[in-house]
Amino acid sequence: MAELKHWYMVCYDIRDPKRWRKAYRLLEGYGERLQYSIFRCWLSQRDRERLRWELEKVLAAEDSLLLVGMCDRCVQRIPSYNRPESWQVRGDRFRIL
Amino acid sequence: MVMMADPIARQDSVRVSALHALAYCPRLFYLEEVEELYTQDAAVFAGRRLHVELEQQEDAQWQDLYLESEDLGLRGRLDALRTRSGQLIPYEHKRGRAHRDEANQPQAWDSDRLQILAYACLIESALGTPVAEGRIRYHADNVVVHVPLTDAGRAEVRQAIAAARALRQSDLRPPVTVNERLCARCSLAPVCLPEEARLAHDREWEPVRLFPADDDRQVVHVLEPGSRVGRTGEQLKVARLNQPVELFPIRQVAQVVLHSYAQISTQALHFCADQGVGVHFISGGGRYLGSFDTRQGSIQRRIRQYQALTDGAVCLRLAQRLVMCRGQGQRKFLMRGQRSASPAVQAALKPTIAQMQAVLKQVDRADSLATLLGLEGKLAALYFGALPLLIGEKVPPELRFDGRNRRPPKDRFNALLSFGYALVFKDVMNGILTVGLEPALGFYHQPRSQAAPLALDLLEIFRVPLVDMTVMASVNRGQWDVAADFEVRGPQVWLSEVGRHKFVELYERRKEETWKHPKLGYALSYRRWFELEVRLLEKEWMGEGGLFAQLVLR
């Protein structure tokens, strides 16, 4: 079982501030906020399903949620048509503070 | 309609989902139920999400209930129970596809069939109403499979329960299943290591790598005194003096390493424990202090370790392997240095390398741990006697050394080695705790205060490739500033804060490099290797041995 990881954009529209807050906090544990209501997360399939399950417990039927998985090629192409700061990746597996 | 049972009976009964695991693979059942290892994979979460969605869709119709039958010795939570023309029918929802028979008709998978039969029997027994059939709905191809409950089915369930109970009492971990395709979809493959187990029995086997190649979560080192680690929401927060706050999503953190006097809040400790993040403490002098880690393995695992490692013969055999592994590593490292050295140095190294070979030949014949300690001492003396020869000509005299000394280190080179060994010790401990073995019971080192013998044992494998080579290379590249990176206090030499920062970086970079395992034949990062080596060690006494401590540099 290879734990391949991919980038996912997680976009949501949540109609209730309380649920919004919950979902926002949850997503902060998984990835990084790019814009209001748009996160990017580096996830394995396992993480992705776990996130979907956890989000499903928070969201109501009227809310919307969109996960977009991106292949390596998609991610490589991003800098070519965006502002340089819009997709910066720190590949480090350690941090020294 | 919830039946509660007293705790004793609860322990004794078998969960229906465990029967599902048993029908899939007895080893999976054993790892989950006896060794208490759970790693939820994508399918588990997808299944749970399906259930949440179903609950939202049909909240009125939905009922789920816990049932337990003392008579059968079975308990479980039903997905749904519906009444159809006066008959009670249990439903089970599956996310995947149904099995197709030769006529391409949808059928239940064996493990699913046993599960639904078990639910049907459970209802009959606990509620006292007869059940004619159970139904499984496969969502991927949207079919419902009817499974009639016959006397043969009832007998099958009883048999499975008896088998499950027998296996629960057993000390023997069942062998890896013959059907490899089951392993490819199994959530426990990274801990079961089925491919490696097959290799242990069959040297011709070519392992397909199944487990994750690397753990790419971050290791966070907090070096600055006065830093505070806390929690905010689902993130770890590191606040330093006069610096912006750093936030880390918890699922991207593997370890938090606190050097010297960084603070961590109780909230953050609880959070790390909850998420399986290791918290390790290293003193300002670079000594490993301990860890806060609640990932204790199941008692079954530890009992097997106690049984194996109280046997002198097993300990001796493992210790021989270990001394061999380290000794060969040391010798190969000198040989590497020889290749690029000047003729004078080559000539000086030659006798040491030959002597080491002669000592290594005696390792297999050693008949006690004391003899092995003697041999290891000889190897170490030869190695550290020759190691200074590998230092390049341009290296300043302050960074040279003539032999290993420690507690405290008396020169800069030894200070680097000591700090490096502390970092490796920390990672070895993390590996042991992740796998769930007892660090205090080793096979070679004798217990002494502070250091856990099993971690000291495993440390031997990693010293040369992760520390000695890293230190030697960095010294020869001139990466050290003899004044700023060290603190000399009389005869004692420590790394300064800048020096520690530099070293941690070098060490972590080294851990990211990959190598090809000589026996397993696949490549993995040094970082991933800590945990793998502990799992391979555990296999030594689980009847799948022969793969532990096989790393030799080329």
Side-chain angles (χ1 to χ4, degrees):
Chain A
M1 184 185 50
E3 290 271 277
L4 259 180
K5 290 200 171 186
H6 288 290
W7 281 109
Y8 288 89
M9 298 270 255
V10 184
C11 321
Y12 53 85
D13 241 331
I14 296 175
R15 268 71 172 181
D16 169 64
K18 206 169 161 183
R19 292 199 302 270
W20 178 85
R21 190 85 210 151
K22 268 191 185 166
Y24 180 79
R25 289 236 155 176
L26 177 68
L27 276 160
E28 278 188 324
Y30 279 89
E32 183 188 350
R33 198 178 65 90
L34 289 181
Q35 294 171 18
Y36 287 111
S37 303
I38 298 181
F39 275 80
R40 75 168 180 196
C41 307
W42 173 243
L43 303 173
S44 66
Q45 208 185 335
R46 185 189 300 237
D47 299 331
R48 185 194 69 204
E49 289 306 322
R50 187 189 174 122
L51 173 62
R52 281 182 70 196
W53 168 59
E54 290 188 344
L55 278 172
E56 206 59 58
K57 289 194 296 184
V58 174
L59 299 188
E62 58 173 342
D63 301 329
S64 55
L65 172 70
L66 182 70
L67 272 81
V68 185
M70 284 179 291
C71 69
D72 294 344
R73 188 76 194 96
C74 304
V75 177
Q76 280 163 22
R77 276 170 14 141
I78 289 176
S80 65
Y81 49 75
N82 279 291
R83 287 191 190 164
E85 73 281 1
S86 53
W87 192 275
Q88 282 163 339
V89 179
R90 306 182 54 117
D92 287 351
R93 292 185 183 158
F94 61 92
R95 280 299 303 280
I96 306 166
L97 300 170
Chain B
M1 222 191 290
V2 176
M3 314 261 295
M4 292 298 291
D6 62 288
I8 298 163
R10 175 156 288 267
Q11 273 182 1
D12 205 17
S13 65
V14 179
R15 285 182 306 116
V16 174
S17 53
L19 285 187
H20 184 270
L22 180 71
Y24 191 80
C25 168
R27 186 171 162 112
L28 171 65
F29 171 86
Y30 193 85
L31 289 172
E32 283 189 343
E33 292 299 304
V34 183
E35 302 198 25
E36 294 166 16
L37 297 170
Y38 296 99
T39 57
Q40 294 126 332
D41 70 352
V44 174
F45 290 113
R48 286 194 201 164
R49 200 199 67 253
L50 173 72
H51 285 117
V52 176
E53 278 171 14
L54 286 171
E55 277 173 50
Q56 287 170 350
Q57 279 167 23
E58 43 183 319
D59 35 18
Q61 282 186 51
W62 185 264
Q63 21 173 340
D64 72 6
L65 65 165
Y66 289 97
L67 290 176
E68 170 145 11
S69 157
E70 279 181 45
D71 175 36
L72 274 174
L74 196 63
R75 71 190 139 93
R77 175 179 183 264
L78 260 84
D79 269 1
L81 189 62
R82 301 224 174 83
T83 316
R84 292 277 180 278
S85 54
Q87 279 280 347
L88 268 182
I89 296 172
Y91 274 75
E92 176 68 21
H93 292 273
K94 294 286 176 195
R95 203 176 55 93
R97 294 178 181 284
H99 170 61
R100 298 277 167 168
D101 61 9
E102 296 85 35
N104 203 28
Q105 289 306 303
Q107 299 290 330
W109 295 96
D110 278 346
S111 47
D112 295 345
R113 201 177 62 89
L114 182 67
Q115 189 183 19
I116 196 75
L117 286 177
Y119 279 127
C121 290
L122 184 59
I123 295 164
E124 281 193 335
S125 173
L127 306 182
T129 44
V131 177
E133 63 169 316
R135 291 179 189 172
I136 308 170
R137 178 163 175 180
Y138 288 96
H139 284 252
D141 41 10
N142 202 15
V143 293
V144 177
V145 177
H146 296 233
V147 181
L149 179 63
T150 58
D151 281 336
R154 291 188 187 96
E156 207 179 311
V157 172
R158 286 203 181 260
Q159 262 172 22
I161 295 167
R165 284 186 156 170
L167 206 49
R168 246 186 352 201
Q169 301 302 319
S170 162
D171 285 347
L172 273 174
R173 188 187 287 171
V176 173
T177 173
V178 186
N179 184 353
E180 300 146 39
R181 280 186 301 182
L182 292 180
C183 298
R185 311 208 55 167
C186 176
S187 61
L188 277 184
V191 294
C192 166
L193 298 182
E195 291 292 306
E196 290 75 1
R198 289 184 184 112
L199 180 74
H201 291 298
D202 174 8
R203 289 295 152 139
E204 301 299 303
W205 186 267
E206 282 182 23
V208 183
R209 61 167 330 148
L210 286 169
F211 61 84
D214 203 351
D215 176 1
D216 57 7
R217 296 179 301 163
Q218 286 186 320
V219 179
V220 181
H221 289 268
V222 185
L223 279 155
E224 246 181 68
S227 306
R228 296 190 318 275
V229 180
R231 174 191 182 170
T232 168
E234 295 287 304
Q235 291 168 297
L236 275 186
K237 179 177 77 179
V238 184
R240 289 175 292 169
L241 298 170
N242 310 321
Q243 303 255 17
V245 168
E246 299 261 359
L247 294 168
F248 297 91
I250 193 68
R251 286 190 183 75
Q252 288 169 20
V253 180
Q255 292 177 26
V256 178
V257 188
L258 299 162
H259 296 255
S260 69
Y261 294 112
Q263 315 287 315
I264 185 165
S265 71
T266 308
Q267 287 84 342
L269 277 176
H270 283 227
F271 191 38
C272 288
D274 184 44
Q275 300 288 335
V277 175
V279 181
H280 302 277
F281 299 90
I282 289 181
S283 79
R287 191 165 48 87
Y288 178 81
L289 284 173
S291 57
F292 176 74
D293 202 309
T294 51
R295 293 172 287 181
Q296 270 134 20
S298 80
I299 190 63
Q300 289 291 337
R301 245 165 199 245
R302 296 194 168 196
I303 287 172
R304 295 300 299 264
Q305 182 192 357
Y306 300 144
Q307 281 170 347
L309 297 187
T310 42
D311 179 343
V314 174
C315 289
L316 182 64
R317 188 169 50 77
L318 290 173
Q320 278 172 333
R321 195 94 62 74
L322 198 66
V323 172
M324 196 64 153
C325 174
R326 183 180 175 199
Q328 282 183 330
Q330 290 173 328
R331 182 169 167 271
K332 286 276 165 73
F333 183 37
L334 293 182
M335 287 167 77
R336 269 194 185 192
Q338 202 184 16
R339 272 180 240 156
S340 53
S342 67
V345 171
Q346 279 182 359
L349 282 169
K350 210 172 174 187
T352 308
I353 290 170
Q355 274 171 300
M356 287 184 85
Q357 179 73 333
V359 180
L360 281 167
K361 285 206 176 114
Q362 297 172 40
V363 169
D364 281 336
R365 295 198 297 271
D367 53 4
S368 71
L369 289 180
T371 322
L372 268 181
L373 276 170
L375 293 174
E376 194 210 337
K378 248 187 245 176
L379 285 167
L382 285 166
Y383 171 71
F384 282 112
L387 201 58
L389 293 169
L390 299 190
I391 298 179
E393 289 159 13
K394 291 183 203 118
V395 175
E398 289 91 341
L399 277 167
R400 297 181 174 275
F401 82 120
D402 55 358
R404 174 90 181 112
N405 56 59
R406 62 213 171 105
R407 275 183 271 154
K410 294 188 182 61
D411 55 59
R412 290 177 175 79
F413 199 94
N414 274 298
L416 291 170
L417 288 180
S418 289
F419 186 59
Y421 295 147
L423 290 181
V424 180
F425 190 87
K426 182 256 317 166
D427 280 324
V428 170
M429 271 302 268
N430 192 63
I432 293 173
L433 294 167
T434 308
V435 175
L437 295 186
E438 166 65 83
L441 183 64
F443 48 88
Y444 183 42
H445 287 85
Q446 299 311 306
R448 66 174 166 82
S449 62
Q450 291 273 343
L454 187 65
L456 284 173
D457 289 350
L458 286 160
L459 177 60
E460 299 295 343
I461 304 173
F462 300 94
R463 282 181 199 263
V464 176
L466 286 179
V467 181
D468 298 3
M469 291 173 76
T470 311
V471 169
M472 187 58 80
S474 64
V475 166
N476 280 336
R477 277 197 300 262
Q479 285 178 302
W480 298 101
D481 180 332
V482 290
D485 294 341
F486 300 91
E487 271 173 37
V488 184
R489 291 187 211 138
Q492 311 179 0
V493 181
W494 309 108
L495 282 162
S496 68
E497 203 188 305
V498 191
R500 286 206 304 269
H501 195 289
K502 240 184 211 178
F503 194 99
V504 171
E505 172 135 14
L506 282 170
Y507 172 74
E508 291 288 347
R509 292 243 178 269
R510 174 68 179 154
K511 267 166 64 186
E512 286 176 12
E513 287 172 29
T514 54
W515 60 283
K516 196 173 163 193
H517 194 288
K519 287 286 178 321
L520 296 170
Y522 51 61
L524 72 162
S525 71
Y526 285 103
R527 194 183 145 130
R528 184 70 177 81
W529 178 29
F530 291 105
E531 191 195 319
L532 180 77
E533 200 64 42
V534 183
R535 293 203 190 280
L536 293 179
L537 171 65
E538 200 240 359
K539 284 187 178 295
E540 293 293 324
W541 54 79
M542 295 304 285
E544 291 158 356
L547 299 170
F548 168 67
Q550 295 289 350
L551 168 97
V552 178
L553 294 173
R554 270 175 288 268

